[in-house]
Amino acid sequence: MPEILSTIRIEIFYSIGIFVLLLIIQYILKQTAKRVGERAEINLTRTKLMFKYINILIFIMATLLFSVAWGLEWADFALIFSSVFAILGAALFAIWSILSNITSGVIMFFSFPYKIGDKIKIHDKDLPIEAIIEDIKAFHLHLRTVEGELITYPNNLILQKAVSLVEKNARFDEGKDAL
């Protein structure tokens, strides 16, 4: 047993260092997202969604760094990543709309000027919509019209269309945490 530990001592040391580094990076990213969410008065559910994205990023970084620490060569990485990206490229091309909505959801987290409860008007020449934002999800917004109709509107379209604020806090935001 001591022989095995002496041969992999450096890998264990690197692994501990990587683990601590990733925990620190994760903490910093989550605190930053939390501060942005609090400063912009973003619903807690949307902030938790950003935490999930941060966890995915940390997992990818951990996989890469632990692989290097345990001896995977860069040539092996090139082969693995080229294969993975070829497969992902074909798959992602087929689902580009979904990725577009997820990316738009991340952009909206940091720079969307409207909040849950705001009444907005979407200036679409074919189908103008005036509704209250009921919820903002990873892929779409839930909008409630005056008639009570629930509209699911894709995130990528809300960023492409002209939108105006009709009324701020048109209704009480039940999902917002009390201070």
Side-chain angles (χ1 to χ4, degrees):
M1 182 72 164
E3 295 170 6
I4 295 173
L5 288 177
S6 65
T7 59
I8 60 170
R9 185 177 349 167
I10 293 174
E11 288 85 356
I12 292 172
F13 177 74
Y14 284 150
S15 296
I16 292 169
I18 290 168
F19 183 74
V20 170
L21 177 69
L22 290 175
L23 284 178
I24 292 169
I25 291 171
Q26 183 181 33
Y27 176 78
I28 291 169
L29 289 175
K30 284 186 175 183
Q31 289 301 314
T32 302
K34 184 178 176 184
R35 275 195 303 266
V36 167
E38 288 172 352
R39 189 175 306 137
E41 297 178 1
I42 294 173
N43 188 288
L44 184 61
T45 306
R46 289 186 57 214
T47 304
K48 287 182 179 179
L49 180 64
M50 292 309 301
F51 289 171
K52 288 180 185 177
Y53 293 152
I54 289 169
N55 289 339
I56 291 169
L57 175 68
I58 294 297
F59 176 76
I60 292 169
M61 289 173 57
T63 303
L64 177 69
L65 292 174
F66 282 123
S67 298
V68 170
W70 284 89
L72 193 63
E73 299 293 328
W74 289 109
D76 298 332
F77 269 122
L79 178 64
I80 291 169
F81 280 116
S82 64
S83 301
V84 168
F85 283 128
I87 293 169
L88 283 177
L92 296 181
F93 180 74
I95 58 169
W96 68 269
S97 177
I98 293 172
L99 289 176
S100 174
N101 284 319
I102 291 173
T103 304
S104 298
V106 172
I107 292 169
M108 288 169 53
F109 177 79
F110 289 104
S111 65
F112 194 57
Y114 313 111
K115 305 206 178 333
I116 294 173
D118 290 350
K119 186 174 188 179
I120 60 170
K121 182 173 184 178
I122 301 171
H123 302 279
D124 186 355
K125 67 179 182 175
D126 297 328
L127 182 66
I129 298 172
E130 188 168 318
I132 295 173
I133 300 174
E134 205 169 81
D135 200 0
I136 302 173
K137 303 278 188 184
F139 299 99
H140 54 269
L141 285 106
H142 285 173
L143 304 172
R144 182 75 63 183
T145 63
V146 177
E147 297 81 26
E149 179 183 12
L150 178 66
I151 299 172
T152 303
Y153 204 81
N155 286 344
N156 63 350
L157 289 183
I158 197 78
L159 292 180
Q160 295 174 9
K161 304 286 182 184
V163 179
S164 59
L165 179 64
V166 175
E167 182 182 348
K168 191 120 180 102
N169 296 322
R171 69 171 180 82
F172 180 70
D173 179 13
E174 298 169 315
K176 190 171 180 182
D177 293 339
L179 295 176

